[in-house]
Amino acid sequence: IDGKKIVVIPHATGDENLKFKVSNLAAKKYFGFKKLDKVITLYVYKSWYKGTDWIVNAVKEGRGIYNNIKKFIGYLFSCNLAEVLVIFIALLIGLPFPLIAIQILWMNLLTDGLPALALGLDKVSWDVMNKPPRNPKETIVNKKDLLFLLTQGVVMTILTLGLFIYYLGKGDINYSQTIAFSSLVVLQMFNSINYHMGSTKFFSRKLFSNKYLIGAITLSFLLQLLVVYILNEIFRTVSLLLIDWILIIIAGFIMIGTQEIMKIFIKPDY
């Protein structure tokens, strides 16, 4: 208020000095304020006020929503970066188009959109309360977020182009394009898992904690099978063999492994 940091607390004690000291400690831990200018006492009904749990829960939910927004932005930007780099690098080194326009449109509208929405519904863990307060002046995508975003995008690009070039050597351009298309779709699903896990290890209970994400990944994969095996004339795809899908899934786990190695040295903020 008027440039001053003021906190409103439930009425707990009549000792104004003690109240001010306690409020400063709480504000520093949960809100990042170094020093308050004023403390205002809030009188509430006993039936509604049960300690200060409601304050902590409010901070927890706020941090969780902020983290989910970061996941949503990071996931979409890294996926779009990979799509751009795949096309750009292929043209730069003289390769045929790995993807056609309708395939790119399909990915943007459905296969990366559904997991992104599901990431916004990630459950808020109490772990967010163990992290120090963020700088209020910090941008929503900080340097650390940008590093993970770029890494995910580049890894998806390398894996997609690697599979595309490998199958292109066999001489069938349509087959190679279908591989590149399906690879990028599946890698984006693995990318959503990376963002969902955050700083948590891959093999943990959190892996299956977001039922919306599981549903989005399952639906996206089924839609991709529909495109490859039934709507192939519209999307100019050809039917893939089981071994092709196995290679694509292996590429997805390479992406997971890359993220896990990075987390040993740098922990994501989301």
Side-chain angles (χ1 to χ4, degrees):
I1 301 174
D2 294 330
K4 295 184 177 181
K5 300 179 180 65
I6 299 174
V7 66
V8 179
I9 65 168
H11 177 64
T13 174
D15 188 335
E16 293 297 324
N17 290 328
L18 177 61
K19 188 161 50 181
F20 193 79
K21 290 179 181 179
V22 171
S23 300
N24 266 300
L25 289 172
K28 183 177 180 181
K29 180 176 181 181
Y30 296 119
F31 299 100
F33 296 159
K34 290 184 179 179
K35 187 177 180 181
L36 298 173
D37 295 300
K38 189 174 183 181
V39 175
I40 299 174
T41 301
L42 175 68
Y43 293 89
V44 295
Y45 290 104
K46 188 176 181 181
S47 58
W48 178 65
Y49 167 58
K50 297 179 180 178
T52 57
D53 289 348
W54 64 278
I55 299 179
V56 177
N57 285 329
V59 174
K60 169 179 167 269
E61 290 299 318
R63 288 187 174 190
I65 292 170
Y66 186 80
N67 281 350
N68 287 350
I69 294 173
K70 287 168 72 79
K71 292 176 186 178
F72 179 89
I73 294 173
Y75 170 73
L76 282 181
F77 270 77
S78 59
C79 288
N80 290 330
L81 175 64
E83 292 170 16
V84 171
L85 288 178
V86 165
I87 299 293
F88 178 73
I89 294 175
L91 292 176
L92 199 64
I93 60 179
L95 294 175
F97 279 105
L99 304 166
I100 61 175
I102 193 170
Q103 294 172 349
I104 297 172
L105 183 62
W106 174 260
M107 285 188 289
N108 287 333
L109 289 178
L110 289 176
T111 54
D112 62 352
L114 293 176
L117 292 174
L119 284 173
L121 299 173
D122 256 352
K123 291 182 179 180
V124 182
S125 169
W126 277 104
D127 292 339
V128 298
M129 300 304 290
N130 296 324
K131 297 178 181 179
R134 66 177 182 86
N135 187 341
K137 297 180 181 180
E138 183 182 84
T139 58
I140 193 165
V141 179
N142 57 34
K143 292 180 180 179
K144 192 185 295 186
D145 298 328
L146 189 61
L147 175 62
F148 280 97
L149 185 158
L150 293 173
T151 302
Q152 299 281 51
V154 170
V155 170
M156 281 190 284
T157 301
I158 293 172
L159 292 170
T160 301
L161 282 177
L163 287 170
F164 176 68
I165 294 170
Y166 171 74
Y167 278 90
L168 194 61
K170 298 182 179 182
D172 191 335
I173 180 63
N174 288 335
Y175 206 97
S176 303
Q177 287 178 331
T178 305
I179 288 290
F181 177 35
S182 298
S183 297
L184 202 46
V185 167
V186 172
L187 288 172
Q188 287 177 354
M189 296 178 199
F190 277 90
N191 188 27
S192 69
I193 296 173
N194 275 339
Y195 273 97
H196 164 62
M197 298 307 294
S199 58
T200 309
K201 292 183 179 179
F202 179 73
F203 294 105
S204 67
R205 289 183 295 178
K206 186 180 178 181
L207 181 60
F208 301 104
S209 63
N210 188 340
K211 61 182 180 180
Y212 301 104
L213 182 61
I214 295 171
I217 291 174
T218 303
L219 181 58
S220 295
F221 186 71
L222 291 175
L223 288 172
Q224 185 63 19
L225 293 179
L226 181 71
V227 165
V228 171
Y229 294 103
I230 298 177
L231 302 177
N232 42 15
E233 291 186 7
I234 299 174
F235 289 88
R236 297 183 185 179
T237 57
V238 295
S239 298
L240 299 180
L241 301 175
L242 178 60
I243 185 63
D244 301 325
W245 289 110
I246 292 174
L247 289 175
I248 292 171
I249 296 298
I250 290 173
F253 278 104
I254 291 174
M255 188 173 177
I256 293 288
T258 303
Q259 179 82 342
E260 291 299 303
I261 292 172
M262 280 192 67
K263 286 192 289 191
I264 296 174
F265 305 99
I266 307 173
K267 295 289 185 183
D269 288 333
Y270 44 82

